[in-house]
Amino acid sequence: DVKVTQSSRYLVKRTGEKVFLECVQDMDHENMFWYRQDPGLGLRLIYFSYDVKMKEKGDIPEGYSVSREKKERFSLILESASTNQTSMYLCASSYGWGQGSEQYFGPGTRLTVT
Amino acid sequence: AQTVTQSQPEMSVQEAETVTLSCTYDTSESDYYLFWYKQPPSRQMILVIRQEAYKQQNATENRFSVNFQKAAKSFSLKISDSQLGDAAMYFCAYRNYGGSQGNLIFGKGTKLSVKP
């Protein structure tokens, strides 16, 4: 089975801190994604990566950056955390864009910024 | 830009009965994929069912089936013989066919409760 893991289930940070959210997948997937999930808003794409060192902005990239140095790992970085970044963050991965490219999700990280 | 709309924020169904969750989408593309994802409370999101737009036949996975109406841009999910384990948030999602723009666009979700 595909496994997508995220470094923390719950995280509490202070305003202005630099925050790293880590995601690892074990199925050699090319594509990895970071979403933000808020009640009533569904999932919104922050960034995605289709190859090592490649990244593209999603719908809401402001205030975030990403890093993909290895194929299996995709990091989301909050350079200076703010209270409006309190949210659930979901990582996902997929193999290619074709018919079989279901996205597999991690368990999520619930981030609280105080 | 493509959009996905789920007009039912919450739904409720009696155990063993059938429920239908609605989803409409907007796109100018002719080739695309549609998905229903399930997110149980405090658990990972998983794929329930997938439909390719070029296929006229509605997808079915055990108790889950879809009613895909391409002209109407409608993609509803029917859950038959509902079980307590079906209680979850359900998200409808759209994806263009291939290319770097093949990202998922999600609806806002429908919270399904199952009554024993």
Side-chain angles (χ1 to χ4, degrees):
Chain A
D1 283 349
V2 174
K3 196 167 184 181
V4 180
T5 57
Q6 295 183 229
S7 51
S8 305
R9 290 299 303 269
Y10 300 93
L11 208 53
V12 180
K13 295 292 182 181
R14 294 198 179 275
T15 302
E17 279 193 81
K18 190 169 186 175
V19 182
F20 293 86
L21 303 183
E22 304 284 338
C23 175
V24 177
Q25 50 93 3
D26 67 355
M27 280 300 291
D28 202 35
H29 283 172
E30 288 130 344
N31 308 312
M32 296 189 74
F33 308 82
W34 276 107
Y35 294 92
R36 173 176 170 159
Q37 182 180 9
D38 298 289
L41 296 179
L43 278 76
R44 294 177 291 167
L45 182 65
I46 304 172
Y47 269 97
F48 70 99
S49 169
Y50 52 90
D51 202 351
V52 175
K53 296 190 185 294
M54 305 302 289
K55 60 185 179 184
E56 286 201 24
K57 294 180 180 179
D59 299 319
I60 51 165
E62 297 78 18
Y64 304 94
S65 62
V66 291
S67 173
R68 193 168 181 199
E69 297 296 321
K70 293 185 177 180
K71 191 174 185 179
E72 68 270 19
R73 188 180 298 269
F74 192 36
S75 302
L76 179 70
I77 304 156
L78 287 66
E79 295 288 342
S80 178
S82 63
T83 55
N84 63 13
Q85 293 179 309
T86 291
S87 187
M88 171 70 87
Y89 291 88
L90 297 178
C91 175
S93 71
S94 72
Y95 178 74
W97 301 117
Q99 181 176 351
S101 54
E102 168 187 348
Q103 287 192 20
Y104 294 85
F105 285 82
T109 295
R110 186 167 294 282
L111 173 67
T112 302
V113 183
T114 62
Chain B
Q2 294 86 6
T3 59
V4 177
T5 302
Q6 293 177 250
S7 58
Q8 307 151 317
E10 296 188 23
M11 291 281 285
S12 181
V13 63
Q14 204 72 31
E15 193 175 8
E17 294 188 348
T18 296
V19 64
T20 298
L21 308 185
S22 300
C23 174
T24 58
Y25 58 95
D26 189 28
T27 183
S28 58
E29 302 290 331
S30 57
D31 291 327
Y32 49 87
Y33 299 100
L34 294 163
F35 305 83
W36 278 98
Y37 277 87
K38 170 186 177 181
Q39 186 180 40
S42 301
R43 293 179 60 187
Q44 283 169 253
M45 190 173 305
I46 57 172
L47 178 66
V48 174
I49 200 165
R50 159 180 42 212
Q51 174 81 42
E52 292 87 353
Y54 65 87
K55 290 186 177 179
Q56 293 186 339
Q57 187 173 5
N58 289 325
T60 299
E61 290 286 344
N62 300 314
R63 297 183 296 105
F64 298 87
S65 61
V66 298
N67 183 4
F68 173 50
Q69 301 288 329
K70 191 172 184 179
K73 296 180 182 176
S74 172
F75 182 61
S76 60
L77 175 69
K78 185 172 83 171
I79 305 174
S80 304
D81 186 25
S82 297
Q83 301 175 359
L84 295 178
D86 295 333
M89 282 291 292
Y90 286 83
F91 292 96
C92 178
Y94 165 100
R95 195 183 76 219
N96 281 332
Y97 188 86
S100 64
Q101 299 305 311
N103 305 315
L104 284 174
I105 299 168
F106 286 88
K108 295 182 179 181
T110 296
K111 183 178 182 181
L112 178 66
S113 302
V114 181
K115 297 179 180 177

